[in-house]
Amino acid sequence: MNLELFLVVAAALFSVGLFGALTQQSIVMLMMGLELMLGGVILAAAAVWHYIAPAATDGQVLVVLAVTVMAVEMAIGFAIVTALFRTREVDTTDEAAELRG
């Protein structure tokens, strides 16, 4: 496996996530698109780090930390979406934008 293949897969993940984030109005689907985008960035960073310094474990630790932060962020995001839906039955970004003012 070479670096270019990993970068192509990472770009594909990022592109699918960007398409999902820009076209969906459901908050959950928007969050899934953002998660795919972050996954693509992390995959690209891990692949580059592996090819720059294959013996160093710094990149692996950074990737595990980033994935952990992503999981916590998604859990908090889904908790907020669940609370919004239970209290006001808001499930799209248009309805959530009206809650600002």
Side-chain angles (χ1 to χ4, degrees):
M1 305 272 293
N2 53 8
L3 179 61
E4 290 83 17
L5 182 62
F6 282 112
L7 293 179
V8 166
V9 171
L13 271 174
F14 188 85
S15 299
V16 169
L18 182 64
F19 177 76
L22 292 177
T23 59
Q24 299 297 321
Q25 288 189 352
S26 170
I27 297 173
V28 174
M29 294 300 290
L30 175 77
M31 290 174 61
M32 289 174 67
L34 293 174
E35 192 73 18
L36 281 174
M37 290 171 61
L38 287 172
V41 170
I42 288 175
L43 177 63
V48 169
W49 203 303
H50 174 72
Y51 280 93
I52 289 176
T57 59
D58 298 341
Q60 295 172 358
V61 171
L62 185 64
V63 166
V64 168
L65 181 66
V67 169
T68 305
V69 168
M70 281 176 38
V72 169
E73 171 252 336
M74 288 305 287
I76 292 171
F78 281 128
I80 292 170
V81 170
T82 303
L84 269 174
F85 185 76
R86 285 185 180 174
T87 58
R88 300 191 179 155
E89 295 191 15
V90 171
D91 63 344
T92 63
T93 54
D94 293 336
E95 294 171 351
E98 294 171 2
L99 297 175
R100 269 191 215 172

